[in-house]
Amino acid sequence: MRLPGPIADSKLLEFQVCDVQNRRIDSPKPLRGQVLNTVQNQVAGKHGGWDARGPHFNRNIEKIQTYAWEITKSGQHYLTLSTGNARKNYMPSLVSSHKMIKVIKHASVMSPRSLSLLLLTLANLLIPISIFIFATGFFPYKPFIPGRATFQDPNNGGQLASAPFDKVIFMVVDALRSDFVYSPESGFKFTQALIRSGAAMPFTAHATSPTITMPRVKAITTGSIPSFLDVILNFAESDTTSNLASQDTWLAQLKDKQGGKLVMYGDDTWLKLFPDTFLRVDGTSSFFVSALITLGINPDHEGSPHTRSCLTRSTNSPSPHMVPKQSEMDGIVEQIYRAIETEEHLHSTLFVLCGDHGMNDAGNHGGSAEGETSPALVFMSPKLQTISQGSESPVALPEATFSYYNTVEQSDIAPTLAGLLGFPIPLNNLGVFIPDLLGFWEKGLLLQNARQILNIVRGAFPRLSFSEAETLDDCTLAMSAGETLSCLWFDAASLVDVPSHIDTAAALHALTRFSKHAQDVMSSTASNYNLSRLGIGIGLAALATVAGTATVSTALLETQATGLWISLVFTAYGIMMFATSYVEEEQHFWYWVSSSWLGWLLLKRRNAATLPGSLELWFAASLLVLLRIVRAWNQTGQKHAGEPDIARTFLPAHNILLWLLVLVTYLDVIQRLSRRAVPWASRHLATAASLALGIAALGFKVAFTKADAPELLEGLGYLCVRPFEQASLVAQARAIFTGIAIMMVLTSFPAVYQRVRGGRETKGRGQLKPIGKSAH
Amino acid sequence: MTETTEAKPRKLIPISQPISVLPSDIARLYTHLHPIIILTVYYFCFPYLVADPVSVLFKALAPLAHLQITYCVVCLPQSSGGSTPSPTSSKGPTTRKRVQFAQSAKSKPTSVGSRITPAIISLLLCLSLSAPLLTVILILFGAPLTTHFWHNLLCATHISLLGVLPLFYVHGVNARMWREISGACLPFDEVWGGLVGAVVGAWLGAVPIPLDWDREWQKWPVTIVTGTYLGWFVFRFAGEYFLRGKRIEFD
């Protein structure tokens, strides 16, 4: 609320005289009068210029005066009488005290300054509280069972006699989408040959969102379904609490096995997740793994089982580097598979090739688009030929999806490995043994799986006993998810309790039904939301919105068209959040709003000025042009991901322009640095330091590009300067960041020191500006 | 620059008056019939438009131009013609005499034949001036430049045939009038309402494009053209009956 200077300390009331004795004052805008010193003056007409006096005027005025004084005494000192033309023409003769008082009464309940301050404070306090309460209800509680599974545990269903494999080679390829292996365009020719022969069993392993590496690794190794909280942990990779060493994973189970050893090659994410788990490691930092890395493959066979993690990070799925990369990966697969075939001690080795997640057409992942959630999963071993006849390969892309062959859950990998290698299923597993691989056993495996899942289900539904008492005749009639599970379990248990029934199709079906249903229930996070907390959180947020809106409403009304614009934008933005596709395509909203806003300002200017205002016209037009370029710069969002844009299509094709832009940017930064940085030193010194730092950074950029995306330097080889090319990228990065840090310290500390010592407040100025000027 | 010497832009005082339809019965009838005919035709063309936007938009140009010229000739008063200098600008800001442009033709109804020529001139002006300008504006507001150039040009031509052609017919090429038009200071009537509606409709037409409904009609520029026609239709009536004489307030 705007307060005029002299009376800024008092409370201001505003109201509008809309109706004076039933005559509507016709005006397109709310009338606005001036703020007078006292109500008394206004009403008595000393300053008002009310020239005519009606017969009842004095009597009415007295009444109003009395009432106004009451208001004044009660602490509201000033009134803005919104009168305008009406004052002169109607007010004196026609004003009725009754109406006037009504208006004043109405005005007195309008929000004074203190109330709006209170509301603003309330809104700001409520926002964090509501977010906190909502978050505690939204991030679901995951029943987590500590410890390791053992065969002695009665809940685990006992040990099985035979495990067909005793070693496993587990090869993870980053973002290995299903079609990268299975499609006719794929470079995985050897793998496809194995699929045809039956020695490889292909699946599409559905990865739940969030499709980023760490939660996926967690799902693959523990068999549980990580929540969105793990996203945060994915970025905090250095955080040692996020490792999986303390959890029950198939890696831990393998290590606990008699003589179990693990070896790892590749991305050091795995080392951080599983510290002290591997006997031998050869890790590579994933940050500096630029697009195409080649891992020297030299399968050595002393330790068993092996874990192998290979990583490839590719930028664009239709990129020309894709197929050679796939062929290279296929070469590794062939090498390992040949070793399994030929080496005596590897005959009982299972070889698993899988992707941690897929990617969309732009090479991004993290969301829940079809391509992102569909990584490939291939089990390979000569032994598989006994249970599999082979499948057609390559196959064309199934209609609009990436679901090749049978789709399984990524969490199914853990129990399947447990069964195939003969170790207990990890305690927190929600996966179900992949039925296609059941051919190795006659009995019991599914029961073991089901018992283990039941153990977790009990944790999630502690109030249910999973006994006969709760059972209904028809499980579809059950009221809650827990009751349905309880019922399904009893159905299955009653069948398998009879020894002669254990292998019947009915028993297998019942067990699968229970396990699958449990998987669905436990993986749908909705069952774990705390609805009352969500409700309270939303309620508080709504309160905060109301309070905030009430605070700004006066200001918005005052600013008329601009206020209307802002209100419209916020309302539209709020509505937009209900359309999931608009959440993914939010940038379109802001592009749309900002270009319209510029257009509006332009029209407004044209509307206001008599002069053609050509400068403003060009200014606004160039802003619109720049905005249009920004729009075309990157294809963001899901819908148009991968379509041509400036940054990924135009600039790589015109790489001279790209490097010119880079050069200009660096030169600008160097020039600014040399003018402003290290204010106490001589300008020559500062220029030399900035120049050195800038050139080093530019050299690092070129060297990094050469390693990361060599195609951007095509025909520009002369940009690569030998010293930069030869030095290690990590060392260069460290040197440059150290240089930047030193420059920052040298620049800002003296400035802060000077200001603290001087104790002078330079109003509205940045720290560096006045000092930088004085150094000139 | 101190505060006292700061050049404040003087307010443009609009002198334009709302246009009234010619006083004949046939004009009053056709001005209501015309938008209904156009929208009905659009409704039946819509499936073909979705199937092949460029060819349908192109083929629709001639019929649309015919209908709009007919509308101008039958219903609208003709511009007084020429680029009369504005009296306010020549006599300074003290003169606030409101001059009625475009109303002069109302008093002396002319033959149909003599009204067709200015209508055709309006068509040529609208095709050669406003359509390219609107194409540029469409692109600045986010229309795909490299892949859909013809779509944009045709879309802009449709907007200008609907919204700008009658404006040329009633206001001519008077400089002062077009300054007011470019500053959106005109009072609402069915002609100005039509242009505002076409522009606002085209702007709102962009809203459904990012939604993931995967419908064929979400493609460029079907929603924009549809928004144009609907907005034109709505604002034409709104401008005549609810907003008549009002001007857009910018602050």
Side-chain angles (χ1 to χ4, degrees):
Chain A
M1 194 179 284
R2 187 165 43 88
L3 289 176
I7 53 155
D9 57 335
S10 39
K11 297 179 180 77
L12 182 73
L13 280 176
E14 272 189 274
F15 67 90
Q16 186 189 347
V17 182
C18 299
D19 190 330
V20 179
Q21 217 168 33
N22 299 327
R23 284 187 64 169
R24 189 159 289 279
I25 297 159
D26 193 28
S27 167
K29 283 185 191 177
L31 299 162
R32 193 160 300 162
Q34 71 228 76
V35 181
L36 295 177
N37 275 340
T38 63
V39 179
Q40 205 179 7
N41 285 344
Q42 169 70 45
V43 176
K46 280 178 189 166
H47 293 269
W50 298 1
D51 19 14
R53 298 280 155 101
H56 303 295
F57 180 74
N58 284 328
R59 198 159 46 88
N60 289 343
I61 284 297
E62 268 169 37
K63 280 186 188 170
I64 297 168
Q65 209 172 350
T66 322
Y67 194 83
W69 268 115
E70 276 168 27
I71 296 173
T72 316
K73 272 186 280 176
S74 69
Q76 290 142 355
H77 296 287
Y78 294 98
L79 285 171
T80 308
L81 289 178
S82 308
T83 49
N85 288 336
R87 187 174 61 202
K88 228 175 211 168
N89 302 335
Y90 309 114
M91 194 74 97
S93 52
L94 300 179
V95 74
S96 109
S97 62
H98 178 66
K99 283 252 158 68
M100 191 72 176
I101 284 168
K102 223 166 123 187
V103 173
I104 293 174
K105 268 183 185 166
H106 174 67
S108 67
V109 297
M110 273 178 68
S111 63
R113 196 154 175 250
S114 59
L115 181 63
S116 74
L117 202 69
L118 187 78
L119 285 175
L120 188 67
T121 320
L122 186 73
N124 277 301
L125 284 175
L126 281 179
I127 290 169
I129 295 172
S130 66
I131 291 175
F132 179 76
I133 294 178
F134 187 87
T136 54
F138 184 74
F139 290 115
Y141 164 71
K142 288 277 172 190
F144 170 71
I145 306 166
R148 296 265 159 81
T150 56
F151 283 127
Q152 282 75 45
D153 189 348
N155 284 327
N156 238 314
Q159 188 162 14
L160 290 158
S162 63
F165 299 103
D166 62 1
K167 299 181 186 67
V168 61
I169 299 173
F170 201 80
M171 176 167 161
V172 180
V173 180
D174 190 48
L176 185 72
R177 199 169 67 195
S178 52
D179 63 317
F180 295 168
V181 183
Y182 305 139
S183 77
E185 295 83 33
S186 159
F188 281 89
K189 297 297 174 206
F190 178 77
T191 313
Q192 292 183 349
L194 286 183
I195 293 171
R196 284 193 295 275
S197 75
M201 294 180 76
F203 300 95
T204 301
H206 178 253
T208 50
S209 189
T211 48
I212 51 178
T213 300
M214 212 200 79
R216 293 302 97 224
V217 171
K218 198 174 169 186
I220 291 171
T221 55
T222 64
S224 62
I225 289 141
S227 68
F228 266 89
L229 268 183
D230 290 281
V231 180
I232 303 160
L233 301 179
N234 187 56
F235 294 119
E237 272 178 8
S238 55
D239 181 9
T240 46
T241 56
S242 70
N243 72 55
L244 295 170
S246 57
Q247 295 204 26
D248 195 6
T249 59
W250 56 258
L251 282 91
Q253 291 288 353
L254 278 177
K255 209 182 172 211
D256 285 358
K257 244 182 125 185
Q258 196 78 42
K261 288 173 196 157
L262 294 155
V263 181
M264 211 284 302
Y265 297 95
D267 185 5
D268 66 354
T269 309
W270 284 72
L271 296 182
K272 283 178 181 140
L273 285 171
F274 302 99
D276 311 322
T277 307
F278 298 106
L279 183 71
R280 263 182 301 123
V281 292
D282 185 2
T284 324
S285 172
S286 66
F287 183 74
F288 278 106
V289 175
S290 53
L292 316 158
I293 71 155
T294 313
L295 287 166
I297 290 303
N298 179 20
D300 79 61
H301 318 297
E302 315 159 27
S304 72
H306 289 251
T307 300
R308 184 175 296 279
S309 159
C310 292
L311 182 136
T312 167
R313 204 170 277 269
S314 42
T315 45
N316 250 331
S317 47
S319 124
H321 305 288
M322 211 60 196
V323 171
K325 197 67 219 164
Q326 288 166 356
S327 302
E328 189 189 327
M329 288 290 146
D330 196 48
I332 299 169
V333 171
E334 182 170 3
Q335 209 174 348
I336 296 171
Y337 188 81
R338 292 278 180 242
I340 294 171
E341 271 187 332
T342 51
E343 303 277 337
E344 186 64 35
H345 64 281
L346 288 177
H347 273 174
S348 291
T349 300
L350 176 68
F351 181 27
V352 183
L353 167 71
C354 71
D356 51 353
H357 48 73
M359 58 159 84
N360 62 19
D361 285 337
N364 296 325
H365 58 88
S368 50
E370 202 75 53
E372 294 165 76
T373 59
S374 304
L377 169 67
V378 190
F379 289 89
M380 282 174 273
S381 165
K383 280 191 175 183
L384 288 175
Q385 274 164 316
T386 58
I387 60 163
S388 161
Q389 274 79 51
S391 324
E392 190 194 337
S393 182
V395 287
L397 187 68
E399 207 170 294
T401 68
F402 292 96
S403 312
Y404 291 86
Y405 306 108
N406 288 339
T407 300
V408 297
E409 288 297 318
Q410 219 169 24
S411 50
D412 295 345
I413 294 172
T416 307
L417 284 180
L420 292 172
L421 288 144
F423 58 80
I425 297 173
L427 272 180
N428 291 296
N429 166 60
L430 282 171
V432 179
F433 194 91
I434 299 172
D436 306 61
L437 289 156
L438 272 175
F440 286 115
W441 292 273
E442 268 99 52
K443 59 175 183 178
L445 191 77
L446 280 178
L447 181 61
Q448 183 196 9
N449 196 181
R451 284 225 169 98
Q452 174 268 325
I453 289 177
L454 177 69
N455 204 19
I456 310 174
V457 174
R458 276 187 212 274
F461 301 99
R463 275 171 294 176
L464 295 169
S465 63
F466 288 87
S467 62
E468 196 174 356
E470 288 156 2
T471 311
L472 304 160
D473 289 338
D474 182 358
C475 290
T476 52
L477 295 175
M479 295 302 289
S480 71
E483 279 173 29
T484 316
L485 280 178
S486 164
C487 174
L488 284 172
W489 167 249
F490 188 77
D491 274 3
S494 59
L495 280 173
V496 294
D497 276 352
V498 187
S500 61
H501 282 169
I502 194 158
D503 270 332
T504 59
L508 285 179
H509 175 72
L511 282 171
T512 317
R513 201 163 145 224
F514 166 74
S515 303
K516 282 277 177 200
H517 194 75
Q519 189 180 32
D520 286 350
V521 169
M522 301 297 290
S523 55
S524 79
T525 42
S527 62
N528 296 321
Y529 288 146
N530 187 333
L531 286 178
S532 57
R533 282 192 188 176
L534 293 188
I536 294 171
I538 292 171
L540 288 177
L543 256 178
T545 312
V546 171
T549 314
T551 315
V552 294
S553 56
T554 8
L556 285 182
L557 286 176
E558 237 170 61
T559 47
Q560 305 276 323
T562 312
L564 187 74
W565 252 98
I566 294 173
S567 321
L568 273 179
V569 167
F570 281 120
T571 314
Y573 186 66
I575 294 169
M576 195 190 87
M577 285 296 149
F578 288 93
T580 44
S581 42
Y582 253 116
V583 174
E584 282 170 351
E585 308 291 326
E586 191 186 329
Q587 74 281 4
H588 288 301
F589 175 79
W590 291 113
Y591 291 148
W592 186 66
V593 164
S594 43
S595 52
S596 338
W597 175 238
L598 281 175
W600 173 266
L601 286 181
L602 190 63
L603 273 184
K604 184 178 168 178
R605 210 64 190 148
R606 293 282 301 160
N607 186 290
T610 12
L611 301 162
S614 59
L615 191 68
E616 275 151 5
L617 183 80
W618 287 114
F619 189 63
S622 55
L623 269 181
L624 273 172
V625 171
L626 285 177
L627 187 67
R628 186 65 185 81
I629 293 174
V630 166
R631 252 172 128 134
W633 196 266
N634 269 317
Q635 286 290 4
T636 32
Q638 295 286 327
K639 196 174 177 180
H640 301 287
E643 283 181 18
D645 56 25
I646 295 177
R648 286 197 207 122
T649 321
F650 178 77
L651 284 181
H654 302 80
N655 57 357
I656 294 177
L657 180 66
L658 171 69
W659 286 103
L660 269 178
L661 288 175
V662 170
L663 196 68
V664 167
T665 313
Y666 273 79
L667 282 179
D668 182 55
V669 172
I670 290 170
Q671 190 259 355
R672 274 160 199 271
L673 267 181
S674 60
R675 231 164 9 113
R676 294 268 182 86
V678 207
W680 43 269
S682 85
R683 284 303 89 190
H684 296 296
L685 194 67
T687 310
S690 331
L691 208 59
L693 194 59
I695 290 174
L698 192 59
F700 170 69
K701 189 175 182 68
V702 175
F704 193 97
T705 311
K706 178 134 201 216
D708 184 55
E711 70 276 6
L712 290 180
L713 283 164
E714 216 166 274
L716 293 166
Y718 50 85
L719 281 177
C720 304
V721 188
R722 183 144 300 185
F724 292 113
E725 219 179 324
Q726 282 168 348
S728 103
L729 289 178
V730 183
Q732 285 190 56
R734 279 186 189 142
I736 288 160
F737 280 114
T738 315
I740 292 173
I742 291 172
M743 285 280 261
M744 274 175 75
V745 169
L746 289 182
T747 307
S748 52
F749 270 106
V752 173
Y753 176 70
Q754 194 172 337
R755 172 172 285 203
V756 169
R757 207 180 52 168
R760 277 181 291 113
E761 282 286 319
T762 27
K763 277 181 190 170
R765 286 276 178 91
Q767 284 180 0
L768 304 177
K769 213 172 174 183
I771 300 158
K773 269 186 180 167
S774 67
H776 264 288
Chain B
M1 192 189 282
T2 60
E3 274 177 35
T4 43
T5 55
E6 192 174 342
K8 274 193 172 177
R10 279 168 297 158
K11 181 92 179 154
L12 176 75
I13 298 145
I15 53 165
S16 46
Q17 292 288 299
I19 303 289
S20 298
V21 179
L22 291 176
S24 68
D25 286 341
I26 182 150
R28 284 196 205 102
L29 178 70
Y30 187 66
T31 192
H32 292 98
L33 215 56
H34 175 72
I36 297 169
I37 293 173
I38 285 193
L39 216 63
T40 315
V41 173
Y42 185 78
Y43 177 79
F44 285 110
C45 288
F46 187 75
Y48 305 102
L49 176 72
V50 176
D52 186 3
V54 172
S55 86
V56 171
L57 283 178
F58 183 73
K59 282 177 195 156
L61 283 180
L64 179 64
H66 270 113
L67 279 169
Q68 284 290 88
I69 286 176
T70 315
Y71 162 68
C72 290
V73 167
V74 173
C75 305
L76 292 180
Q78 206 177 312
S79 118
S80 54
S83 46
T84 339
S86 149
T88 38
S89 60
S90 57
K91 288 176 188 170
T94 45
T95 325
R96 291 196 177 181
K97 197 178 132 202
R98 298 205 162 186
V99 179
Q100 283 198 342
F101 285 96
Q103 300 294 73
S104 50
K106 208 169 123 183
S107 51
K108 34 172 183 175
T110 45
S111 71
V112 173
S114 67
R115 284 187 277 166
I116 281 180
T117 321
I120 287 173
I121 293 172
S122 305
L123 172 69
L124 292 177
L125 283 172
C126 133
L127 288 180
S128 57
L129 293 177
S130 78
L133 185 70
L134 279 170
T135 312
V136 172
I137 290 174
L138 272 181
I139 289 166
L140 284 181
F141 274 68
L145 170 64
T146 48
T147 48
H148 290 72
F149 180 76
W150 293 108
H151 299 72
N152 297 337
L153 187 63
L154 286 166
C155 181
T157 315
H158 274 256
I159 297 175
S160 49
L161 281 181
L162 277 179
V164 189
L165 192 147
L167 269 182
F168 270 117
Y169 185 79
V170 294
H171 295 304
V173 286
N174 182 291
R176 165 79 199 203
M177 283 315 302
W178 281 92
R179 284 251 343 266
E180 284 190 22
I181 291 169
S182 72
C185 319
L186 248 52
F188 271 103
D189 52 50
E190 62 172 58
V191 175
W192 174 241
L195 177 61
V196 170
V199 170
V200 170
W203 177 65
L204 288 175
V207 172
I209 296 177
L211 294 168
D212 62 352
W213 298 343
D214 292 331
R215 299 298 158 90
E216 189 63 16
W217 55 259
Q218 279 176 292
K219 73 182 176 188
W220 190 267
V222 176
T223 53
I224 307 292
V225 177
T226 310
T228 304
Y229 276 83
L230 286 178
W232 171 79
F233 183 84
V234 171
F235 270 75
R236 227 177 143 274
F237 286 110
E240 182 65 25
Y241 293 107
F242 302 112
L243 302 166
R244 188 173 171 83
K246 293 203 171 74
R247 293 170 205 270
I248 301 171
E249 293 284 343
F250 284 88
D251 39 20

